[in-house]
Amino acid sequence: MIRCALFGAGRIGRLHADNLAAGKQVEFVRVYDPDPEAARAVAREHGCEVAQRDADCLAGDVDAAIIASATPTHIDLLTRAVKADKAVLCEKPIDLDIARVDAAQPVVTASAVPVMVGFNRRFDPGHRRLREAVAAGELGTPEQMIVSSRDPGLPPRDYLAASGGLFRDMMIHDFDMVRFVLGEEIKHLSATGSALVDPSLRELDDVDSAMVLMTTESGKLAHINCSRRAVYGYDQRIEVHGSAGMMLSDNPTPTTVRHADAQGTGCAPRLYDFFLDRYAQAFANQLAAFVDAVERSAKPDADFHAGRQALRLADAATEALHGRDPSLVSP
Ligand SMILES: NC(=O)c1ccc[n+]([C@@H]2O[C@H](COP(=O)([O-])OP(=O)(O)OC[C@H]3O[C@@H](n4cnc5c(N)ncnc54)[C@H](O)[C@@H]3O)[C@@H](O)[C@H]2O)c1
């Protein structure tokens, strides 16, 4: 049984709390949030303790920490947890500043405790099937990958202002999916973007619509198509085309009904509204994979290196968007 503490009782923290309470081989011991009412609400619902200070949350009786707090707190909490020999599942991004990630890397590398980054999409059954098909050669030699990633609508302005921009906040998941599915590093990248949904995002030096083209080390091509708006719901599709065929991990829908009437046939249900529903299974699978890695003292699937590489790609795309040369030379 893995004893687990939770940092952050906000939107994603509450989701992790639900999964911790429902998970197998895991006990939800305590929660910390500087907003005491948020922490108390989680504790009331799940019967765990409330830590009065962040340091108390990592007390000796826990084996692992889930870091679901605001992004600027991640790297400090992660480093302290690893130094205290606690396994970590840290939400994405590890940090917005690659220099701070690099400064923490020696601590993570020197430690034997598993550190996992919250790239939940790796644990989506459809996306994982795609990865397995590519790895098993079912599509022959993969040649092209297309990721369509569209949120239903813009988040609030204050969220956007602190987000680090579209590439680091949102597309970071898609960069990870390209590395995960194709199993290769990226050698070249170009990016274009625009503030089409809300032109005032230019004041934040940000975009809400972007396209990135990438070439992997072996020459495979990948394209990410990303928007902060899709009026038809949360749109998440990944396609890989190879020498022996194509595979698409399509949007699941809440039901599978089809409607036929005098206007036409085959009208499909709306997509899921957003990530909490669309990736509910992926988040539960992610926690199970984390608990399994902690029990076996194994390297988790989405490790610190994956978190760092995805941030490097997001940084490179940001550079490319501004017309600067995106250097991907260093490992
Ligand atoms: N994997 C995903 O798909 C996904 C989705 C959404 C958010 N996230 C990530 O999760 C993180 C949280 O996002 P959110 O949407 O839940 O934000 P949120 O604002 O709803 O919640 C953040 C919570 O962290 C708390 N907090 C701040 N400092 C803290 C500290 N030192 N210790 C503990 N708690 C602290 C805040 O009080 C707040 O309750 C962000 O890094 C975000 O990028 C990941």
Side-chain angles (χ1 to χ4, degrees):
M1 185 68 76
I2 304 300
R3 293 170 59 83
C4 207
L6 174 67
F7 289 90
R11 184 172 56 152
I12 200 91
R14 290 193 298 274
L15 173 79
H16 285 299
D18 292 347
N19 285 333
L20 278 171
K24 293 195 177 77
Q25 300 299 328
V26 63
E27 185 183 339
F28 184 12
V29 178
R30 70 178 65 88
V31 58
Y32 171 74
D33 195 298
D35 174 353
E37 189 38 46
R40 277 198 292 270
V42 164
R44 268 196 305 274
E45 189 172 349
H46 297 300
C48 67
E49 293 169 21
V50 173
Q52 299 306 320
R53 301 173 312 148
D54 56 1
D56 299 339
C57 204
L58 286 177
D61 59 344
V62 302
D63 306 301
I66 294 189
I67 301 173
S69 47
T71 300
T73 66
H74 289 181
I75 199 78
D76 176 49
L77 291 172
L78 184 152
T79 309
R80 284 160 59 193
V82 170
K83 282 183 177 167
D85 270 337
K86 314 294 182 189
V88 173
L89 168 53
C90 179
E91 265 308 336
K92 52 55 61 177
I94 307 176
D95 196 83
L96 295 176
D97 182 351
I98 193 77
R100 277 159 56 88
V101 173
D102 287 348
Q105 194 168 21
V107 172
V108 175
T109 311
S111 168
V113 295
V115 173
M116 186 175 189
V117 175
F119 288 135
N120 55 292
R121 295 181 196 178
R122 288 186 179 220
F123 303 94
D124 173 73
H127 299 344
R128 185 157 279 260
R129 173 74 185 93
L130 201 51
R131 161 68 191 145
E132 286 166 2
V134 167
E138 291 176 52
L139 306 179
T141 304
E143 293 164 356
Q144 299 178 328
M145 176 169 174
I146 303 167
V147 183
S148 299
S149 178
R150 300 187 184 126
D151 276 2
L154 278 171
R157 184 85 174 180
D158 57 347
Y159 177 94
L160 288 166
S163 71
L166 182 87
F167 298 115
R168 296 186 187 95
D169 175 55
M170 184 177 166
M171 209 190 275
I172 197 157
H173 278 294
D174 308 306
F175 288 124
D176 182 62
M177 288 314 296
V178 172
R179 291 186 65 252
F180 173 63
V181 171
L182 294 181
E184 286 187 29
E185 296 298 345
I186 304 302
K187 136 180 126 181
H188 180 262
L189 170 158
S190 64
T192 185
S194 203
L196 298 174
V197 182
D198 180 357
S200 77
L201 280 186
R202 290 186 201 123
E203 293 160 17
L204 301 177
D205 200 20
D206 200 0
V207 295
D208 51 40
S209 311
M211 294 186 177
V212 169
L213 288 175
M214 286 170 281
T215 311
T216 69
E217 285 170 330
S218 73
K220 298 177 178 61
L221 307 177
H223 164 53
I224 301 174
N225 174 317
C226 193
S227 172
R228 292 267 193 197
R229 177 184 62 198
V231 295
Y232 50 91
Y234 187 44
D235 187 12
Q236 298 277 299
R237 288 166 286 139
I238 304 181
E239 178 181 318
V240 177
H241 176 240
S243 58
M246 183 277 283
M247 190 179 271
L248 168 67
S249 175
D250 208 346
N251 285 309
T253 49
T255 72
T256 53
V257 295
R258 290 282 187 279
H259 178 205
D261 62 14
Q263 272 69 50
T265 58
C267 184
R270 246 187 84 85
L271 302 180
Y272 283 104
D273 284 340
F274 207 10
F275 69 93
L276 293 173
D277 298 324
R278 163 66 178 86
Y279 285 120
Q281 187 61 55
F283 280 109
N285 293 348
Q286 173 184 250
L287 179 67
F290 175 63
V291 169
D292 180 61
V294 179
E295 275 183 332
R296 294 187 297 109
S297 296
K299 202 162 104 73
D301 204 334
D303 60 5
F304 189 86
H305 177 69
R308 179 179 181 275
Q309 291 301 82
L311 181 62
R312 287 188 63 235
L313 290 168
D315 285 351
T318 308
E319 290 297 295
L321 180 70
H322 289 94
R324 295 186 287 267
D325 186 26
S327 168
L328 294 175
V329 179
S330 62

